[in-house]
Amino acid sequence: MRSVEEQQARVAAAAVAPRPVRVAIAESQGLMCAEEVVTERPLPGFDQAAIDGYAVRSVDVLGIGGSAGDADDGDGESGRDERPRDISLPVMGLIEAGARTPSRLQPRQAARVQTGAPMPTLADAVLPLRWTDGGESRVRVLRGVRSGAYVRRTGDDVQPGDVAVRAGTIIGAAQVGLLAAVGRERVLVHPRPRLSVLSVGGELVDISRTPGNGQVYDVNSYALAAAGRDAGAEVNRVGIVSTDPKQLREAVEGQLSRSEVIVIAGAVGGAAAEGVRSVLAQLGDMEVTRIAMHPGSVQGFGQLGPDGVPVFLLPANPVSALVVFEVMVRPLVRLSLGKRQATRRIVSARTLSPISSVVGRKGFLRGQLMRDQDTGEYLVQALGGAAGTSSHLLATLAEANCLVIVPSEAEQIRTGEVVDVAFLAQRG
């Protein structure tokens, strides 16, 4: 029996990021940048007003009423200052954001400016509205400003030749905004790995049909496709595939040419699974083995087709299939996306009830994680016990927000003991 860690290492070694593609920046969020985005223009591209106010020459207003940034004279008595309390300047007009006609400020003159408006020539500061009387033809200056105050200078954010977004960066909202700010319409990224999900089993019917005697709905292809999208993959839910050798081979070969990962549910355990494995063995290296974990001990993994596409064989039990996906498939998808952390966040939590496990197998059991409001300590309530004790109940998995990780040497976790817990996706 192979350990969980050994199997995870075998799977991780097969991770290959898809070839980079160029996409619109609106479609790049969450993907890893595959190029050094070097800016060609300064940002901002011109001197602009940082606030609404009046563009002025600082020399014309410096010292009025105690300029912004002026230090007092050391004894806290500013009343001895003989500088003028205020002055009045003529206003040459309004410069709006987006104005394209150049303007020039004359000495002892002001121009009304909007936030983002280009600064007129000779103006080196913006006087905030609150330090004026808000006049239109003339403005009364109540307080002066120093040179550069409330002005965004050309290239303050980015200079030509600077790297705006580095290769290997996961593109988030800030990176999308910066790409737009430097005028990039498209960016080279590592795309989402394409994941195909198939279900096999003579008892399966799609949810659009009514099950007959002995038939059940195909839960796995829907649940695993959702898990794939949650992991970050581009998912193709193929659905139910016939176990007829010729039809099965054609279906799998068709997906090998358009997928970076393939998941086949219901392909381990039972006579039908033997036939599936026989067909897959014709397409490459496929191994079905027992892994020291529960649920989902029996599982398969191999690399099929000329490109060695990773293919997973999962149990028919939906709960077991989802747990195996979480432990084995999801990390591979995350690695293919270029994520530095391929696994879920792990925290320590104190148990609220006893937990039974299976000696010799690492347990991944459903649980509800909560936090003590007074102490901040994590607490966990297990929703499932040892393998075979209601492990088939999909409803309890839907109620879970974590997986309780039980060491392989433990048979019983007592109330109050501390265990590792893996966060699942946030609900709601």
Side-chain angles (χ1 to χ4, degrees):
M1 188 178 293
R2 186 175 298 145
S3 73
V4 171
E5 292 73 19
E6 289 173 334
Q7 185 71 356
Q8 287 176 324
R10 289 168 65 91
V11 170
V16 177
R19 292 180 180 177
V21 296
R22 198 166 294 278
V23 301
I25 62 170
E27 301 171 0
S28 67
Q29 188 171 0
L31 302 178
M32 185 171 70
C33 186
E35 65 172 321
E36 299 279 299
V37 180
V38 178
T39 58
E40 299 177 357
R41 303 180 184 86
L43 177 66
F46 54 90
D47 290 354
Q48 60 182 238
I51 60 172
D52 287 359
Y54 296 87
V56 296
R57 299 194 319 157
S58 59
V59 68
D60 291 337
V61 298
L62 190 63
I64 303 301
S67 297
D70 281 359
D72 66 27
D73 52 18
D75 61 6
E77 296 182 10
S78 58
R80 298 183 302 174
D81 195 338
E82 296 180 358
R83 295 174 292 189
R85 299 183 64 85
D86 59 65
I87 64 170
S88 179
L89 299 176
V91 179
M92 60 170 284
L94 171 65
I95 304 176
E96 298 179 325
R100 301 180 64 183
T101 303
S103 56
R104 183 182 180 88
L105 197 68
Q106 299 300 323
R108 298 189 62 79
Q109 197 177 51
R112 184 72 179 264
V113 290
Q114 295 179 347
T115 302
M119 293 289 288
T121 304
L122 296 187
D124 65 343
V126 174
L127 194 65
L129 285 174
R130 66 182 182 276
W131 293 347
T132 73
D133 66 351
E136 295 184 1
S137 59
R138 294 190 69 86
V139 60
R140 184 182 173 197
V141 180
L142 306 177
R143 184 177 181 183
V145 288
R146 290 189 178 276
S147 179
Y150 305 107
V151 176
R152 295 184 64 211
R153 295 293 188 187
T154 302
D156 271 355
D157 282 352
V158 177
Q159 292 284 351
D162 286 350
V163 177
V165 180
R166 297 193 177 278
T169 300
I170 302 300
I171 298 176
Q175 287 74 29
V176 171
L178 187 53
L179 289 167
V182 300
R184 288 294 296 266
E185 295 183 34
R186 305 179 73 82
V187 62
L188 193 68
V189 297
H190 294 288
R192 303 183 190 280
R194 297 167 300 176
L195 184 147
S196 294
V197 181
L198 298 76
S199 287
V200 294
E203 76 282 11
L204 300 178
V205 295
D206 193 70
I207 58 175
S208 60
R209 297 175 53 192
T210 301
N213 187 35
Q215 293 182 317
V216 296
Y217 285 127
D218 169 28
V219 173
N220 278 324
S221 72
Y222 287 95
L224 295 172
R229 284 187 287 270
D230 179 71
E234 178 184 318
V235 177
N236 173 32
R237 190 192 69 83
V238 179
I240 303 169
V241 176
S242 171
T243 54
D244 174 79
K246 181 179 179 181
Q247 294 183 36
L248 176 61
R249 176 165 180 156
E250 288 177 352
V252 174
E253 283 184 317
Q255 299 309 312
L256 288 173
S257 63
R258 60 174 67 100
S259 307
E260 277 76 45
V261 185
I262 296 177
V263 172
I264 306 176
V268 290
E274 289 289 341
V276 172
R277 295 199 294 272
S278 176
V279 171
L280 298 181
Q282 302 170 23
L283 302 175
D285 180 26
M286 173 58 66
E287 177 191 54
V288 175
T289 188
R290 284 191 176 274
I291 308 300
M293 64 177 283
H294 74 91
S297 173
V298 181
Q299 54 189 267
F301 176 73
Q303 293 179 264
L304 306 184
D307 296 326
V309 175
V311 178
F312 293 86
L313 305 184
L314 272 55
N317 180 303
V319 171
S320 298
L322 281 170
V323 170
V324 174
F325 188 100
E326 179 69 30
V327 177
M328 298 296 174
V329 187
R330 191 177 196 277
L332 178 70
V333 172
R334 304 297 284 175
L335 288 172
S336 298
L337 277 168
K339 301 292 186 181
R340 296 181 181 89
Q341 181 61 41
T343 56
R344 300 275 194 181
R345 178 188 172 197
I346 303 293
V347 299
S348 297
R350 194 171 301 280
T351 58
L352 295 176
S353 61
I355 302 174
S356 298
S357 190
V358 178
V359 175
R361 297 186 190 180
K362 193 172 186 177
F364 296 89
L365 309 178
R366 307 172 298 286
Q368 287 183 333
L369 187 67
M370 57 205 81
R371 203 162 193 176
D372 190 296
Q373 293 184 352
D374 296 326
T375 65
E377 181 182 32
Y378 283 110
L379 306 172
V380 65
Q381 174 66 56
L383 300 176
T389 56
S390 302
S391 64
H392 64 287
L393 295 178
L394 193 60
T396 59
L397 186 61
E399 288 298 316
N401 63 3
C402 69
L403 287 179
V404 182
I405 303 173
V406 182
S408 58
E409 63 273 13
E411 182 177 8
Q412 184 83 16
I413 301 294
R414 293 179 301 225
T415 301
E417 288 192 47
V418 175
V419 292
D420 285 342
V421 173
F423 277 115
L424 297 180
Q426 293 291 330
R427 297 168 56 206

